[in-house]
Amino acid sequence: MSVTRGQSQLEGPVDLAPVQPDTSLESVMFDLILKFLQTPGQVLLVQGPPGSGKTTFALEILNSLEETHKIYASSRVAPARLRQHFPWIDEVIDTMSGRTARASWIDELHDLRRVEPDTIFNQVLRLKHSKQRAVLVVDSWEGAIRNTNDEGRKMLESAVLSELDESKVSVVIVVEDSKKAGDLGYLVDGIVTLDQSELDGRRVRTIAMNKLRGFSVPTKRGIFSLDKARFTILPNGLRTPGTNLHPKPLEPVPNPSGAFSLGSRGMDQMLGGSIPRGSFLLIDVDSSVSPVEIRTILNMVRANFINQKGPCVIVPTAAYSSDTVAESLSKYVGWEAIDERVRILEYNQSLAPKKWRLVMKSNLSDDVKTFAHAWDELAKISPHRMLDINVDKAVQVYGRDELSVPGLTELGANMRDTEGLNIAIASTDSKLRDQWLSVVDYHLKIKNADGSLVIYGVKPFTPLYGVDLNFDKGYPVLNLMQIV
């Protein structure tokens, strides 16, 4: 028996309203999938190896659709086990049943493990004949057809795939093995592939939108997490433009007694709760991370320190002048704090003098003395100072072989003794980076993976975290989600 599909297909890309940023880790990819399924008659194939998150993804779709009758037919997991693993699924059940009770399962959550194929066939036909707007999830297709012959499989394909437009039903089909799915890949309207791999020994989960007929797909790949049994696609880097149109002074995360906050509770928790005074931190930044993203993160750390009366010395990256660094940071701390507690190194001696600008001569022995004098002057404000040094800039100015001088070594010991916060940023290998690495207490890496910003700890070892970096409060806010 051949499979026929309804004829009313979308003829071109669908214009989607722009997704407004919010404080949650949302993604335009998932919104696009929901819009796809809200069009009656669409069939989405979800494929991936065991453990890749297909069931969680299907349940998240049901949970997110509104004003839609929802049917979840499982041939793999018993209802009681589903409820154990996904306690939030009561939200879906309430929507499907219209009941207020949150303790019982209802008929629209089907257990297909013990029914015959013709029973599944009749259930699908009943749903289609009801003419009710609905979404049906079949999890999994292999389980639904396991006891059928070739003719029975074709009958079930016909029941699921034909005349969906007229019946107002959309279908999500979950498959374990795409090779055993037969011709489904050619018959469906959309295909989503879930997978998992490793990045430096840490789990990475990826989603790929292989096909979404009738829809323009701006982003085809992304990273997701199954944290708290929810399916969450990570945002693609900065969710708002690089220019903060409505900047506000940063409200700092308070420093614990004898320690420092990095300005993000998520980063603090990743590193054990806070950074003890006198600590050295190295952040390796991959070339895939944009200068805007790393500057935004550093401004958050700097502003959190400065707004708690902490003095700060900055050796900026070659991508930004001291004027640019001061201008961007002033939005979150104010110019008075910049003049009083911030010193920014500048190697262009032709720029106009500023109280905050520390003009260097590009001669290491002279510049160490200039730096040390400014460092001691800031100690009059507070002994607990912050050094933010771009290692690549220092190497560019002084060369790869000239940085191992006694004065620099003594300066480093002084920084630890005065119980400050010492942060180095590096994007390339160098002797200076290796020197810093040999004494660091914390070592982080920041990368861009499949369009999303991720961070993880090498020292101490941490899982991979997705980064949500935004200006929702008018100043840089960084939230983390563990990839589980």
Side-chain angles (χ1 to χ4, degrees), residues 223 234-238 285-286 288-290 292-294 296-297 445-456 464-469 478-481 483:
I223 292 179
L234 302 180
N236 296 100
L238 283 169
V285 180
D286 190 76
S288 61
V289 180
S290 73
V292 172
E293 289 171 321
I294 191 60
T296 303
I297 294 174
K445 289 191 175 184
I446 300 179
K447 295 185 177 182
N448 189 301
D450 288 304
S452 295
L453 204 60
V454 296
I455 186 171
Y456 56 95
L464 190 72
Y465 290 85
V467 176
D468 173 35
L469 188 58
L478 188 151
N479 298 311
L480 297 182
M481 173 170 284
I483 307 300

PDB file of all heavy atoms in Angstrom, residues 223 234-238 285-286 288-290 292-294 296-297 445-456 464-469 478-481 483:
ATOM      1  N   ILE A 223      23.961  23.566  20.462  1.00  0.00           N
ATOM      2  CA  ILE A 223      24.256  22.720  21.618  1.00  0.00           C
ATOM      3  C   ILE A 223      23.052  22.771  22.553  1.00  0.00           C
ATOM      4  O   ILE A 223      22.422  23.813  22.708  1.00  0.00           O
ATOM      5  CB  ILE A 223      25.520  23.199  22.334  1.00  0.00           C
ATOM      6  CG1 ILE A 223      26.746  22.953  21.449  1.00  0.00           C
ATOM      7  CG2 ILE A 223      25.719  22.499  23.671  1.00  0.00           C
ATOM      8  CD1 ILE A 223      28.043  23.417  22.056  1.00  0.00           C
ATOM      9  N   LEU A 234      21.007  25.933  23.796  1.00  0.00           N
ATOM     10  CA  LEU A 234      21.747  27.103  24.257  1.00  0.00           C
ATOM     11  C   LEU A 234      21.654  28.233  23.250  1.00  0.00           C
ATOM     12  O   LEU A 234      21.524  28.003  22.046  1.00  0.00           O
ATOM     13  CB  LEU A 234      23.214  26.739  24.487  1.00  0.00           C
ATOM     14  CG  LEU A 234      23.472  25.612  25.477  1.00  0.00           C
ATOM     15  CD1 LEU A 234      24.962  25.373  25.610  1.00  0.00           C
ATOM     16  CD2 LEU A 234      22.883  25.947  26.839  1.00  0.00           C
ATOM     17  N   PRO A 235      21.742  29.468  23.727  1.00  0.00           N
ATOM     18  CA  PRO A 235      21.716  30.611  22.802  1.00  0.00           C
ATOM     19  C   PRO A 235      22.981  30.666  21.985  1.00  0.00           C
ATOM     20  O   PRO A 235      24.011  30.123  22.366  1.00  0.00           O
ATOM     21  CB  PRO A 235      21.599  31.824  23.732  1.00  0.00           C
ATOM     22  CG  PRO A 235      22.222  31.362  25.010  1.00  0.00           C
ATOM     23  CD  PRO A 235      21.880  29.895  25.128  1.00  0.00           C
ATOM     24  N   ASN A 236      22.908  31.343  20.851  1.00  0.00           N
ATOM     25  CA  ASN A 236      24.068  31.485  19.976  1.00  0.00           C
ATOM     26  C   ASN A 236      24.863  32.724  20.365  1.00  0.00           C
ATOM     27  O   ASN A 236      24.640  33.816  19.849  1.00  0.00           O
ATOM     28  CB  ASN A 236      23.628  31.571  18.512  1.00  0.00           C
ATOM     29  CG  ASN A 236      22.958  30.295  18.052  1.00  0.00           C
ATOM     30  OD1 ASN A 236      21.756  30.194  17.996  1.00  0.00           O
ATOM     31  ND2 ASN A 236      23.758  29.295  17.758  1.00  0.00           N
ATOM     32  N   GLY A 237      25.780  32.553  21.330  1.00  0.00           N
ATOM     33  CA  GLY A 237      26.614  33.661  21.759  1.00  0.00           C
ATOM     34  C   GLY A 237      25.791  34.758  22.407  1.00  0.00           C
ATOM     35  O   GLY A 237      24.831  34.507  23.123  1.00  0.00           O
ATOM     36  N   LEU A 238      26.155  36.001  22.144  1.00  0.00           N
ATOM     37  CA  LEU A 238      25.422  37.127  22.694  1.00  0.00           C
ATOM     38  C   LEU A 238      24.017  37.166  22.108  1.00  0.00           C
ATOM     39  O   LEU A 238      23.831  37.178  20.900  1.00  0.00           O
ATOM     40  CB  LEU A 238      26.146  38.435  22.363  1.00  0.00           C
ATOM     41  CG  LEU A 238      27.384  38.765  23.199  1.00  0.00           C
ATOM     42  CD1 LEU A 238      28.121  39.929  22.571  1.00  0.00           C
ATOM     43  CD2 LEU A 238      26.983  39.114  24.614  1.00  0.00           C
ATOM     44  N   VAL A 285      41.391  31.639  25.812  1.00  0.00           N
ATOM     45  CA  VAL A 285      40.285  32.026  24.934  1.00  0.00           C
ATOM     46  C   VAL A 285      40.571  31.519  23.531  1.00  0.00           C
ATOM     47  O   VAL A 285      41.576  31.885  22.912  1.00  0.00           O
ATOM     48  CB  VAL A 285      40.093  33.553  24.918  1.00  0.00           C
ATOM     49  CG1 VAL A 285      38.930  33.935  24.006  1.00  0.00           C
ATOM     50  CG2 VAL A 285      39.861  34.078  26.331  1.00  0.00           C
ATOM     51  N   ASP A 286      39.681  30.670  23.013  1.00  0.00           N
ATOM     52  CA  ASP A 286      39.853  30.125  21.675  1.00  0.00           C
ATOM     53  C   ASP A 286      39.648  31.223  20.630  1.00  0.00           C
ATOM     54  O   ASP A 286      38.919  32.196  20.856  1.00  0.00           O
ATOM     55  CB  ASP A 286      38.852  28.988  21.451  1.00  0.00           C
ATOM     56  CG  ASP A 286      39.135  28.218  20.178  1.00  0.00           C
ATOM     57  OD1 ASP A 286      40.087  27.415  20.172  1.00  0.00           O
ATOM     58  OD2 ASP A 286      38.393  28.413  19.185  1.00  0.00           O
ATOM     59  N   SER A 288      37.878  31.184  18.170  1.00  0.00           N
ATOM     60  CA  SER A 288      36.484  31.234  17.720  1.00  0.00           C
ATOM     61  C   SER A 288      35.635  32.198  18.540  1.00  0.00           C
ATOM     62  O   SER A 288      34.514  32.534  18.153  1.00  0.00           O
ATOM     63  CB  SER A 288      35.866  29.832  17.793  1.00  0.00           C
ATOM     64  OG  SER A 288      35.888  29.345  19.129  1.00  0.00           O
ATOM     65  N   VAL A 289      36.149  32.666  19.688  1.00  0.00           N
ATOM     66  CA  VAL A 289      35.422  33.600  20.541  1.00  0.00           C
ATOM     67  C   VAL A 289      35.694  35.017  20.057  1.00  0.00           C
ATOM     68  O   VAL A 289      36.854  35.403  19.855  1.00  0.00           O
ATOM     69  CB  VAL A 289      35.852  33.446  22.012  1.00  0.00           C
ATOM     70  CG1 VAL A 289      35.087  34.415  22.905  1.00  0.00           C
ATOM     71  CG2 VAL A 289      35.624  32.011  22.475  1.00  0.00           C
ATOM     72  N   SER A 290      34.643  35.805  19.872  1.00  0.00           N
ATOM     73  CA  SER A 290      34.817  37.155  19.340  1.00  0.00           C
ATOM     74  C   SER A 290      35.383  38.090  20.406  1.00  0.00           C
ATOM     75  O   SER A 290      35.165  37.893  21.600  1.00  0.00           O
ATOM     76  CB  SER A 290      33.474  37.702  18.850  1.00  0.00           C
ATOM     77  OG  SER A 290      32.638  38.032  19.943  1.00  0.00           O
ATOM     78  N   VAL A 292      34.303  40.954  21.140  1.00  0.00           N
ATOM     79  CA  VAL A 292      33.168  41.554  21.858  1.00  0.00           C
ATOM     80  C   VAL A 292      32.745  40.676  23.021  1.00  0.00           C
ATOM     81  O   VAL A 292      32.467  41.159  24.133  1.00  0.00           O
ATOM     82  CB  VAL A 292      31.984  41.785  20.899  1.00  0.00           C
ATOM     83  CG1 VAL A 292      30.738  42.217  21.678  1.00  0.00           C
ATOM     84  CG2 VAL A 292      32.331  42.835  19.861  1.00  0.00           C
ATOM     85  N   GLU A 293      32.701  39.358  22.805  1.00  0.00           N
ATOM     86  CA  GLU A 293      32.272  38.451  23.860  1.00  0.00           C
ATOM     87  C   GLU A 293      33.243  38.453  25.032  1.00  0.00           C
ATOM     88  O   GLU A 293      32.821  38.541  26.193  1.00  0.00           O
ATOM     89  CB  GLU A 293      32.106  37.031  23.287  1.00  0.00           C
ATOM     90  CG  GLU A 293      30.903  36.893  22.370  1.00  0.00           C
ATOM     91  CD  GLU A 293      30.861  35.566  21.652  1.00  0.00           C
ATOM     92  OE1 GLU A 293      31.931  35.071  21.222  1.00  0.00           O
ATOM     93  OE2 GLU A 293      29.758  35.010  21.499  1.00  0.00           O
ATOM     94  N   ILE A 294      34.547  38.360  24.748  1.00  0.00           N
ATOM     95  CA  ILE A 294      35.508  38.309  25.854  1.00  0.00           C
ATOM     96  C   ILE A 294      35.583  39.657  26.555  1.00  0.00           C
ATOM     97  O   ILE A 294      35.733  39.736  27.779  1.00  0.00           O
ATOM     98  CB  ILE A 294      36.902  37.836  25.360  1.00  0.00           C
ATOM     99  CG1 ILE A 294      37.809  37.527  26.556  1.00  0.00           C
ATOM    100  CG2 ILE A 294      37.532  38.838  24.440  1.00  0.00           C
ATOM    101  CD1 ILE A 294      37.278  36.441  27.468  1.00  0.00           C
ATOM    102  N   THR A 296      33.093  41.702  26.939  1.00  0.00           N
ATOM    103  CA  THR A 296      31.886  41.772  27.761  1.00  0.00           C
ATOM    104  C   THR A 296      32.064  40.995  29.058  1.00  0.00           C
ATOM    105  O   THR A 296      31.678  41.453  30.142  1.00  0.00           O
ATOM    106  CB  THR A 296      30.677  41.229  26.981  1.00  0.00           C
ATOM    107  OG1 THR A 296      30.527  41.981  25.766  1.00  0.00           O
ATOM    108  CG2 THR A 296      29.401  41.340  27.799  1.00  0.00           C
ATOM    109  N   ILE A 297      32.658  39.800  28.960  1.00  0.00           N
ATOM    110  CA  ILE A 297      32.893  38.996  30.158  1.00  0.00           C
ATOM    111  C   ILE A 297      33.869  39.708  31.095  1.00  0.00           C
ATOM    112  O   ILE A 297      33.650  39.784  32.315  1.00  0.00           O
ATOM    113  CB  ILE A 297      33.424  37.602  29.768  1.00  0.00           C
ATOM    114  CG1 ILE A 297      32.349  36.815  29.006  1.00  0.00           C
ATOM    115  CG2 ILE A 297      33.873  36.820  31.009  1.00  0.00           C
ATOM    116  CD1 ILE A 297      32.839  35.492  28.452  1.00  0.00           C
ATOM    117  N   LYS A 445      38.813  27.542  30.250  1.00  0.00           N
ATOM    118  CA  LYS A 445      38.844  27.648  28.794  1.00  0.00           C
ATOM    119  C   LYS A 445      37.478  28.102  28.300  1.00  0.00           C
ATOM    120  O   LYS A 445      36.444  27.625  28.769  1.00  0.00           O
ATOM    121  CB  LYS A 445      39.225  26.309  28.146  1.00  0.00           C
ATOM    122  CG  LYS A 445      40.689  25.923  28.341  1.00  0.00           C
ATOM    123  CD  LYS A 445      41.090  24.744  27.459  1.00  0.00           C
ATOM    124  CE  LYS A 445      42.589  24.451  27.589  1.00  0.00           C
ATOM    125  NZ  LYS A 445      43.019  23.369  26.674  1.00  0.00           N
ATOM    126  N   ILE A 446      37.499  29.039  27.339  1.00  0.00           N
ATOM    127  CA  ILE A 446      36.273  29.544  26.722  1.00  0.00           C
ATOM    128  C   ILE A 446      36.371  29.290  25.227  1.00  0.00           C
ATOM    129  O   ILE A 446      37.369  29.637  24.589  1.00  0.00           O
ATOM    130  CB  ILE A 446      36.082  31.049  26.996  1.00  0.00           C
ATOM    131  CG1 ILE A 446      35.988  31.308  28.500  1.00  0.00           C
ATOM    132  CG2 ILE A 446      34.834  31.568  26.290  1.00  0.00           C
ATOM    133  CD1 ILE A 446      35.824  32.776  28.847  1.00  0.00           C
ATOM    134  N   LYS A 447      35.334  28.672  24.668  1.00  0.00           N
ATOM    135  CA  LYS A 447      35.327  28.350  23.240  1.00  0.00           C
ATOM    136  C   LYS A 447      33.948  28.639  22.662  1.00  0.00           C
ATOM    137  O   LYS A 447      32.973  28.843  23.380  1.00  0.00           O
ATOM    138  CB  LYS A 447      35.667  26.864  23.006  1.00  0.00           C
ATOM    139  CG  LYS A 447      37.076  26.469  23.408  1.00  0.00           C
ATOM    140  CD  LYS A 447      37.364  25.020  23.034  1.00  0.00           C
ATOM    141  CE  LYS A 447      38.808  24.646  23.366  1.00  0.00           C
ATOM    142  NZ  LYS A 447      39.122  23.255  22.957  1.00  0.00           N
ATOM    143  N   ASN A 448      33.885  28.619  21.337  1.00  0.00           N
ATOM    144  CA  ASN A 448      32.626  28.661  20.621  1.00  0.00           C
ATOM    145  C   ASN A 448      32.427  27.297  19.982  1.00  0.00           C
ATOM    146  O   ASN A 448      33.239  26.873  19.157  1.00  0.00           O
ATOM    147  CB  ASN A 448      32.643  29.755  19.548  1.00  0.00           C
ATOM    148  CG  ASN A 448      31.286  29.980  18.917  1.00  0.00           C
ATOM    149  OD1 ASN A 448      30.712  29.063  18.341  1.00  0.00           O
ATOM    150  ND2 ASN A 448      30.778  31.186  19.017  1.00  0.00           N
ATOM    151  N   ALA A 449      31.382  26.607  20.378  1.00  0.00           N
ATOM    152  CA  ALA A 449      31.112  25.261  19.865  1.00  0.00           C
ATOM    153  C   ALA A 449      29.746  25.241  19.207  1.00  0.00           C
ATOM    154  O   ALA A 449      28.736  25.518  19.857  1.00  0.00           O
ATOM    155  CB  ALA A 449      31.174  24.232  20.996  1.00  0.00           C
ATOM    156  N   ASP A 450      29.721  24.957  17.904  1.00  0.00           N
ATOM    157  CA  ASP A 450      28.467  24.901  17.146  1.00  0.00           C
ATOM    158  C   ASP A 450      27.626  26.154  17.346  1.00  0.00           C
ATOM    159  O   ASP A 450      26.400  26.099  17.485  1.00  0.00           O
ATOM    160  CB  ASP A 450      27.658  23.653  17.519  1.00  0.00           C
ATOM    161  CG  ASP A 450      28.286  22.384  16.972  1.00  0.00           C
ATOM    162  OD1 ASP A 450      28.485  22.325  15.745  1.00  0.00           O
ATOM    163  OD2 ASP A 450      28.597  21.476  17.758  1.00  0.00           O
ATOM    164  N   GLY A 451      28.284  27.303  17.376  1.00  0.00           N
ATOM    165  CA  GLY A 451      27.563  28.567  17.460  1.00  0.00           C
ATOM    166  C   GLY A 451      27.243  29.035  18.859  1.00  0.00           C
ATOM    167  O   GLY A 451      26.701  30.126  19.033  1.00  0.00           O
ATOM    168  N   SER A 452      27.563  28.248  19.879  1.00  0.00           N
ATOM    169  CA  SER A 452      27.260  28.625  21.256  1.00  0.00           C
ATOM    170  C   SER A 452      28.547  28.794  22.059  1.00  0.00           C
ATOM    171  O   SER A 452      29.517  28.071  21.856  1.00  0.00           O
ATOM    172  CB  SER A 452      26.379  27.560  21.929  1.00  0.00           C
ATOM    173  OG  SER A 452      25.110  27.486  21.310  1.00  0.00           O
ATOM    174  N   LEU A 453      28.527  29.754  22.965  1.00  0.00           N
ATOM    175  CA  LEU A 453      29.683  30.002  23.821  1.00  0.00           C
ATOM    176  C   LEU A 453      29.678  28.987  24.963  1.00  0.00           C
ATOM    177  O   LEU A 453      28.652  28.799  25.630  1.00  0.00           O
ATOM    178  CB  LEU A 453      29.596  31.421  24.379  1.00  0.00           C
ATOM    179  CG  LEU A 453      30.901  32.106  24.809  1.00  0.00           C
ATOM    180  CD1 LEU A 453      31.856  32.217  23.618  1.00  0.00           C
ATOM    181  CD2 LEU A 453      30.598  33.479  25.383  1.00  0.00           C
ATOM    182  N   VAL A 454      30.811  28.323  25.192  1.00  0.00           N
ATOM    183  CA  VAL A 454      30.920  27.337  26.264  1.00  0.00           C
ATOM    184  C   VAL A 454      32.159  27.643  27.092  1.00  0.00           C
ATOM    185  O   VAL A 454      33.132  28.242  26.604  1.00  0.00           O
ATOM    186  CB  VAL A 454      30.996  25.889  25.718  1.00  0.00           C
ATOM    187  CG1 VAL A 454      29.718  25.524  24.994  1.00  0.00           C
ATOM    188  CG2 VAL A 454      32.206  25.700  24.814  1.00  0.00           C
ATOM    189  N   ILE A 455      32.117  27.224  28.352  1.00  0.00           N
ATOM    190  CA  ILE A 455      33.226  27.439  29.278  1.00  0.00           C
ATOM    191  C   ILE A 455      33.377  26.207  30.150  1.00  0.00           C
ATOM    192  O   ILE A 455      32.386  25.537  30.473  1.00  0.00           O
ATOM    193  CB  ILE A 455      32.981  28.706  30.138  1.00  0.00           C
ATOM    194  CG1 ILE A 455      34.192  29.028  31.014  1.00  0.00           C
ATOM    195  CG2 ILE A 455      31.729  28.547  30.998  1.00  0.00           C
ATOM    196  CD1 ILE A 455      34.080  30.384  31.717  1.00  0.00           C
ATOM    197  N   TYR A 456      34.625  25.894  30.521  1.00  0.00           N
ATOM    198  CA  TYR A 456      34.846  24.768  31.427  1.00  0.00           C
ATOM    199  C   TYR A 456      36.175  24.961  32.153  1.00  0.00           C
ATOM    200  O   TYR A 456      37.051  25.706  31.708  1.00  0.00           O
ATOM    201  CB  TYR A 456      34.825  23.427  30.678  1.00  0.00           C
ATOM    202  CG  TYR A 456      35.806  23.298  29.538  1.00  0.00           C
ATOM    203  CD1 TYR A 456      37.051  22.702  29.721  1.00  0.00           C
ATOM    204  CD2 TYR A 456      35.470  23.749  28.262  1.00  0.00           C
ATOM    205  CE1 TYR A 456      37.937  22.562  28.667  1.00  0.00           C
ATOM    206  CE2 TYR A 456      36.359  23.618  27.203  1.00  0.00           C
ATOM    207  CZ  TYR A 456      37.585  23.023  27.407  1.00  0.00           C
ATOM    208  OH  TYR A 456      38.465  22.885  26.359  1.00  0.00           O
ATOM    209  N   LEU A 464      31.296  20.719  31.136  1.00  0.00           N
ATOM    210  CA  LEU A 464      31.110  21.788  30.159  1.00  0.00           C
ATOM    211  C   LEU A 464      29.857  22.576  30.515  1.00  0.00           C
ATOM    212  O   LEU A 464      28.830  22.008  30.892  1.00  0.00           O
ATOM    213  CB  LEU A 464      30.977  21.189  28.758  1.00  0.00           C
ATOM    214  CG  LEU A 464      31.017  22.156  27.576  1.00  0.00           C
ATOM    215  CD1 LEU A 464      32.421  22.696  27.376  1.00  0.00           C
ATOM    216  CD2 LEU A 464      30.546  21.449  26.309  1.00  0.00           C
ATOM    217  N   TYR A 465      29.935  23.901  30.393  1.00  0.00           N
ATOM    218  CA  TYR A 465      28.798  24.763  30.666  1.00  0.00           C
ATOM    219  C   TYR A 465      28.512  25.637  29.446  1.00  0.00           C
ATOM    220  O   TYR A 465      29.436  26.177  28.821  1.00  0.00           O
ATOM    221  CB  TYR A 465      29.067  25.678  31.861  1.00  0.00           C
ATOM    222  CG  TYR A 465      29.116  24.972  33.192  1.00  0.00           C
ATOM    223  CD1 TYR A 465      30.292  24.378  33.634  1.00  0.00           C
ATOM    224  CD2 TYR A 465      27.989  24.902  34.012  1.00  0.00           C
ATOM    225  CE1 TYR A 465      30.354  23.730  34.855  1.00  0.00           C
ATOM    226  CE2 TYR A 465      28.043  24.251  35.233  1.00  0.00           C
ATOM    227  CZ  TYR A 465      29.221  23.669  35.653  1.00  0.00           C
ATOM    228  OH  TYR A 465      29.281  23.014  36.860  1.00  0.00           O
ATOM    229  N   GLY A 466      27.252  25.788  29.121  1.00  0.00           N
ATOM    230  CA  GLY A 466      26.843  26.751  28.111  1.00  0.00           C
ATOM    231  C   GLY A 466      26.720  28.122  28.735  1.00  0.00           C
ATOM    232  O   GLY A 466      26.296  28.264  29.884  1.00  0.00           O
ATOM    233  N   VAL A 467      27.097  29.145  27.976  1.00  0.00           N
ATOM    234  CA  VAL A 467      27.124  30.526  28.475  1.00  0.00           C
ATOM    235  C   VAL A 467      25.965  31.311  27.884  1.00  0.00           C
ATOM    236  O   VAL A 467      25.779  31.339  26.665  1.00  0.00           O
ATOM    237  CB  VAL A 467      28.456  31.217  28.105  1.00  0.00           C
ATOM    238  CG1 VAL A 467      28.446  32.677  28.546  1.00  0.00           C
ATOM    239  CG2 VAL A 467      29.626  30.472  28.745  1.00  0.00           C
ATOM    240  N   ASP A 468      25.200  31.953  28.746  1.00  0.00           N
ATOM    241  CA  ASP A 468      24.178  32.909  28.330  1.00  0.00           C
ATOM    242  C   ASP A 468      24.676  34.285  28.731  1.00  0.00           C
ATOM    243  O   ASP A 468      24.685  34.636  29.910  1.00  0.00           O
ATOM    244  CB  ASP A 468      22.844  32.589  29.015  1.00  0.00           C
ATOM    245  CG  ASP A 468      21.797  33.664  28.747  1.00  0.00           C
ATOM    246  OD1 ASP A 468      21.808  34.214  27.637  1.00  0.00           O
ATOM    247  OD2 ASP A 468      20.988  33.940  29.649  1.00  0.00           O
ATOM    248  N   LEU A 469      25.127  35.068  27.761  1.00  0.00           N
ATOM    249  CA  LEU A 469      25.743  36.369  28.007  1.00  0.00           C
ATOM    250  C   LEU A 469      24.823  37.441  27.456  1.00  0.00           C
ATOM    251  O   LEU A 469      24.525  37.466  26.255  1.00  0.00           O
ATOM    252  CB  LEU A 469      27.104  36.417  27.320  1.00  0.00           C
ATOM    253  CG  LEU A 469      28.018  37.600  27.592  1.00  0.00           C
ATOM    254  CD1 LEU A 469      28.326  37.734  29.072  1.00  0.00           C
ATOM    255  CD2 LEU A 469      29.306  37.442  26.788  1.00  0.00           C
ATOM    256  N   LEU A 478      26.132  37.102  33.098  1.00  0.00           N
ATOM    257  CA  LEU A 478      26.560  35.811  32.572  1.00  0.00           C
ATOM    258  C   LEU A 478      25.928  34.705  33.401  1.00  0.00           C
ATOM    259  O   LEU A 478      26.164  34.611  34.611  1.00  0.00           O
ATOM    260  CB  LEU A 478      28.091  35.705  32.613  1.00  0.00           C
ATOM    261  CG  LEU A 478      28.732  34.503  31.937  1.00  0.00           C
ATOM    262  CD1 LEU A 478      30.142  34.855  31.436  1.00  0.00           C
ATOM    263  CD2 LEU A 478      28.831  33.302  32.866  1.00  0.00           C
ATOM    264  N   ASN A 479      25.098  33.889  32.730  1.00  0.00           N
ATOM    265  CA  ASN A 479      24.487  32.719  33.364  1.00  0.00           C
ATOM    266  C   ASN A 479      25.061  31.454  32.724  1.00  0.00           C
ATOM    267  O   ASN A 479      25.420  31.462  31.546  1.00  0.00           O
ATOM    268  CB  ASN A 479      22.967  32.737  33.190  1.00  0.00           C
ATOM    269  CG  ASN A 479      22.336  33.949  33.848  1.00  0.00           C
ATOM    270  OD1 ASN A 479      22.617  34.262  35.001  1.00  0.00           O
ATOM    271  ND2 ASN A 479      21.485  34.648  33.105  1.00  0.00           N
ATOM    272  N   LEU A 480      25.126  30.387  33.497  1.00  0.00           N
ATOM    273  CA  LEU A 480      25.682  29.129  33.000  1.00  0.00           C
ATOM    274  C   LEU A 480      24.648  28.013  33.091  1.00  0.00           C
ATOM    275  O   LEU A 480      23.822  27.994  34.013  1.00  0.00           O
ATOM    276  CB  LEU A 480      26.920  28.723  33.812  1.00  0.00           C
ATOM    277  CG  LEU A 480      28.132  29.659  33.763  1.00  0.00           C
ATOM    278  CD1 LEU A 480      29.273  29.067  34.586  1.00  0.00           C
ATOM    279  CD2 LEU A 480      28.583  29.901  32.332  1.00  0.00           C
ATOM    280  N   MET A 481      24.710  27.103  32.127  1.00  0.00           N
ATOM    281  CA  MET A 481      23.914  25.882  32.186  1.00  0.00           C
ATOM    282  C   MET A 481      24.816  24.699  31.930  1.00  0.00           C
ATOM    283  O   MET A 481      25.497  24.639  30.887  1.00  0.00           O
ATOM    284  CB  MET A 481      22.772  25.888  31.178  1.00  0.00           C
ATOM    285  CG  MET A 481      22.039  24.553  31.104  1.00  0.00           C
ATOM    286  SD  MET A 481      20.514  24.574  30.164  1.00  0.00           S
ATOM    287  CE  MET A 481      19.429  25.386  31.328  1.00  0.00           C
ATOM    288  N   ILE A 483      26.046  21.184  30.734  1.00  0.00           N
ATOM    289  CA  ILE A 483      25.663  20.259  29.667  1.00  0.00           C
ATOM    290  C   ILE A 483      25.602  18.859  30.282  1.00  0.00           C
ATOM    291  O   ILE A 483      26.635  18.258  30.586  1.00  0.00           O
ATOM    292  CB  ILE A 483      26.672  20.294  28.505  1.00  0.00           C
ATOM    293  CG1 ILE A 483      26.871  21.736  28.012  1.00  0.00           C
ATOM    294  CG2 ILE A 483      26.191  19.394  27.366  1.00  0.00           C
ATOM    295  CD1 ILE A 483      25.620  22.402  27.518  1.00  0.00           C
TER     296      ILE A 483
END
